[in-house]
Every structure is written in C-alpha cells, then in structure tokens.
C-alpha cells in the first residue's frame, strides 16, 4: 500500500477494487441469477434512482483516494446503460485508477466494442455457459443463441480488448459442456474461467448439491489436457490459474464455494442506486447517493467510505453452509457480479 489514505478493514484487508453496477436491468433471465418465473413482473430502478455518470465519478474519486486501483463495470447488463463509453471516459483519468474492466453477456458488444476501447476500457469478461444452443438458450432464459455471444466475443477481439470467458457450472445442467468449452477456447487462444455456482441472493434455488467444485472440474479437464499452474499476479487475485502447455490459453477457477478466498478479499461493490456493499452476500448497503445529492464534500464522502471499510467483518464464503444460504441477501443483478 502506498497511498497515505489507504484503509484496511477489521481483518486487515485493504480496499483495492470497486465493482460498479451501472444498471439493474438485463436482457437475459439466467436461471442462476434472474430466473424468469421470479423476475417476469419485477420493476426496476427508474432513471432518477440511478446514479448519474457525474455522481459515479465523484464516488470513484473517493474510492481512488482510499487506494482503489481497479474498477469493473457490471450489472444487470451494463451495456444496456446508455452511453456507457462516456462513463469510461470520465473515470479512466482519475488519479490512482490503473485498470477498468467490464463484465457482459456479450450480445450488444458488436455495437460498442470499438467505442468502449477508445474510451479507455482495457478488458472484458464475457459470460457464456455452453456451446450447445439448447442448453444455453435454457440457461439464459431468453433462447439467445451461442452464435450471438460469439459475435460479441469476436467484436471484442477485433477491438483489441483483453478477453476472458466466464462459465458458471451447474451440476446436471451444463457440466457436460465443460470439455467442449475447454477445447473451443483453447483452439481460439482465449482464457476461460469456471465459476462455481453460488448462493447469491435468494431467488436461484441454490443448493450445495448443484455445485461442481473446482477440484472436480480440474480433474475432468486434466484427463484430456495438460495444464501447468500459473503463479498469482497480485494480492487478492481471485482466480486460480493454469495454462495449457501447448497453447497460450489459460484456464481459471473462481472457487468461491469450495475454496473460499475471503481472507484476501479487497473488493467493494456499488449498486446502481448508489449503495456501497462490502460483500457479495451482504444484506445491508450504505447509501452514498443521498450523500452525493446533498452536496457532501469529497473529503467527507471519503471519510464516510473509510469508516464503512474500517468496520468491515464480512467473510461469508468461509462460513457458508446450506443454512446460511437461506439468510436474506442482496441479488446479484442488483449488486453487480
Ligand atoms: N450481465 C453480465 C454478465 O452476465 O456477464 C454482468 C452481470 S452478471 C451478474 C456477472 C457475472 O456473475 C456473470 O459472469 C454471471 O455468470 C455471474 N453469476 C451470476 N449469478 C451467479 C451465480 N449464482 N453463481 C455464480 N456466478 C453467477
Ligand atoms: Fe443478466 Fe448477467 Fe444475471 Fe444473466 S448473469 S441474468 S446476463 S445479469
Ligand atoms: Fe469477499 Fe464476501 Fe466473497 Fe468473502 S464472501 S470473498 S468477503 S465478497
């Protein structure tokens, strides 16, 4: 840590990353995130309830003062937020911000990839859970075809954005797609990450039995492919990474269920309506939107966020059981993945 304002929480974890949800709406209805039967008639935030780009800039300024270096734009589907490249242009010059990334389902990327890159975006994570149209169509809840996401992936590649593919694995739903996905993205020299199905929110009917663990996925892959471990790049890196010995492509694992990484979790989350959350599984956020709209000074805003982080004691994944999964939690589409 080098900033004199850097802050650590109760367990001495620094604040390095901020995930910003720019919108709570989505054009998919993934079964593990916004299941159609639960979200068919849900109302979403109005324009006035959303943080404006200027307000996000003010909040990012405070986080940067406290040591945040990395930003990730997410949602809902972040590309549904109008003029997203304008936001990137506003926040990329902020002193201390070294990296801006985006997580998207990819289908609107062909329209925006170039302008996002020109605005200062460096990296994009694109979610794709299967290569089989029937399985993928069911999982995304809208019958979106694999080809439509692949078009987004190729558009990101053409725009020279760094790409990672995210696959959430659910037992009995798409686990037999693991091997085709590994082969396809190895052939295309792209990095693929497996995300363990998590008990985010209270709508996705999560149960430990539906989780395919990192260990199980790794064993399955290494029966066919030769992998070598890649060392950790920075403190708090979440993915455990491996490289194909005969390709540039990497395989990563986000093992938040089977091998929790709370002890080095440096991430805060900002919801689209301006609440800051100190854990993905939190039930309570701290309202920054009102502070910003009341004209609170940058110094006081920074001080408020510092206090929030100082008293942070979250370590949900380390304590997870089928029982804790029942507790009231914020939904993933709202808090941002
Ligand atoms: N809509 C964008 C997308 O899907 O990439 C961004 C938001 S989404 C909430 C962010 C990431 O969270 C996606 O990669 C998605 O697959 C993942 N995700 C959502 N629900 C999840 C769950 N229950 N378990 C694990 N990952 C989940
Ligand atoms: Fe939408 Fe992403 Fe959630 Fe799927 S995972 S419903 S694409 S926000
Ligand atoms: Fe961080 Fe909370 Fe996830 Fe633990 S459960 S890694 S504290 S977000």
């Amino acid at each position: 840590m080098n900033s004199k304002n850097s802050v650590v929480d109760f367990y001495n974890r620094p604040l390095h990353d901020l995930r910003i949800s720019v919108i709570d709406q989505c054009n998919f209805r993934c079964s593990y995130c916004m299941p159609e039967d639960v979200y068919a008639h849900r109302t979403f935030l109005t324009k006035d309830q959303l943080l404006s780009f200027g307000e996000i800039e003010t909040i990012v300024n405070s986080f940067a003062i406290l040591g945040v270096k990395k930003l990730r734009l997410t949602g809902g589907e972040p590309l549904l937020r109008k003029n997203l490249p304008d936001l990137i242009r506003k926040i990329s010059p902020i002193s201390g911000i070294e990296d801006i990334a985006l997580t998207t389902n990819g289908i609107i990327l062909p329209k925006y990839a170039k302008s996002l890159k020109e605005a200062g975006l460096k990296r994009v994570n694109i979610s794709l859970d299967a290569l089989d149209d029937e399985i993928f169509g069911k999982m995304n809840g809208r019958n979106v075809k694999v080809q439509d996401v692949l078009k987004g992936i190729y558009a990101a590649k053409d725009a020279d954005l760094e790409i990672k593919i995210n696959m959430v694995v659910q037992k009995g739903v798409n686990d037999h797609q693991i091997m085709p996905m590994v082969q396809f993205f190895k052939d295309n020299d792209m990095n693929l990450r497996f995300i363990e199905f998590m008990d985010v929110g209270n709508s996705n009917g999560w149960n430990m039995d539906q989780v395919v663990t990192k260990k199980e996925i790794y064993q399955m892959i290494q029966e066919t492919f030769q992998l070598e471990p890649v060392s950790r790049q920075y403190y708090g890196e979440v993915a455990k990474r491996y490289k194909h010995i005969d390709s540039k492509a990497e395989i990563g694992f986000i093992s938040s269920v089977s091998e929790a990484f709370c002890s080095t979790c440096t991430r805060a989350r900002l919801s689209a309506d301006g609440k800051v959350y100190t854990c993905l599984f939190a039930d309570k956020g701290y309202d920054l939107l009102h502070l910003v709209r009341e004209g609170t000074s940058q110094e006081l805003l920074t001080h408020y966020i510092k206090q929030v982080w100082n008293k942070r004691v979250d370590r949900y994944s380390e304590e997870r059981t089928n029982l804790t999964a029942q507790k009231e939690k914020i939904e993933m589409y709202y808090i941002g993945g």
Side-chain angles (χ1 to χ4, degrees), residues 24-35 74-78 104-105 127 129 139-140 168 332-333:
D24 60 339
Q25 293 176 45
C26 189
N27 43 6
F28 282 19
R29 284 291 176 273
C30 300
S31 49
Y32 51 74
C33 179
M34 298 176 86
T74 176
E77 174 45 46
T104 172
N105 62 33
S127 307
D129 299 321
M139 284 184 88
N140 65 52
V168 175
M332 184 85 141
Y333 75 92

Side-chain angles (χ1 to χ4, degrees), residues 140-192:
N140 65 52
R142 289 275 157 97
N143 267 322
V144 177
K145 299 271 178 274
V146 173
Q147 194 55 34
D148 290 328
V149 179
L150 291 179
K151 281 183 195 153
I153 294 173
Y154 295 135
K157 197 174 175 193
D158 284 347
D160 217 13
L161 286 161
E162 252 181 67
I163 302 168
K164 284 189 196 111
I165 309 300
N166 282 351
M167 173 178 180
V168 175
V169 185
Q170 255 181 296
K171 196 167 278 175
V173 178
N174 66 338
D175 42 351
H176 51 294
Q177 287 288 295
I178 292 171
M179 297 307 281
M181 288 281 285
V182 172
Q183 185 69 59
F184 182 84
F185 288 105
K186 178 179 183 234
D187 293 345
N188 282 278
D189 269 338
M190 283 184 197
N191 298 341
L192 171 63

Side-chain angles (χ1 to χ4, degrees), residues 276-332:
V276 66
Y277 291 87
T278 55
C279 178
L280 181 54
F281 301 90
D283 53 4
K284 176 179 183 301
Y286 301 84
D287 191 2
L288 302 187
L289 179 130
H290 277 96
L291 289 180
V292 173
R293 289 198 180 162
E294 281 161 8
T296 305
S297 69
Q298 191 82 60
E299 199 181 344
L300 274 179
L301 183 67
T302 310
H303 181 69
Y304 179 80
I305 299 169
K306 187 172 186 165
Q307 281 185 321
V308 167
W309 193 262
N310 266 155
K311 60 180 187 203
R312 174 189 193 236
V313 290
D314 307 282
R315 41 192 292 273
Y316 178 87
S317 288
E318 286 178 354
E319 296 165 336
R320 173 190 285 112
T321 61
N322 266 340
L323 230 122
T324 59
Q326 313 299 322
K327 93 170 181 102
E328 185 108 347
K329 290 167 267 142
I330 214 75
E331 295 293 333
M332 184 85 141

Side-chain angles (χ1 to χ4, degrees), residues 30-35 129 139 167-175 178 193-214 216-217 253-259 280-281 316-317 320 322 325 329 331-332:
C30 300
S31 49
Y32 51 74
C33 179
M34 298 176 86
D129 299 321
M139 284 184 88
M167 173 178 180
V168 175
V169 185
Q170 255 181 296
K171 196 167 278 175
V173 178
N174 66 338
D175 42 351
I178 292 171
R193 305 194 318 171
F194 295 100
I195 306 180
E196 290 178 352
F197 175 39
M198 290 186 282
D199 49 331
V200 201
N202 299 92
S203 331
N204 66 10
W206 183 89
N207 189 296
M208 206 78 103
D209 299 342
Q210 297 165 298
V211 178
V212 187
T213 64
K214 180 225 158 185
E216 290 169 318
I217 302 173
F253 297 92
I254 314 285
S255 53
S256 31
V257 179
S258 67
E259 294 172 24
L280 181 54
F281 301 90
Y316 178 87
S317 288
R320 173 190 285 112
N322 266 340
K329 290 167 267 142
E331 295 293 333
M332 184 85 141

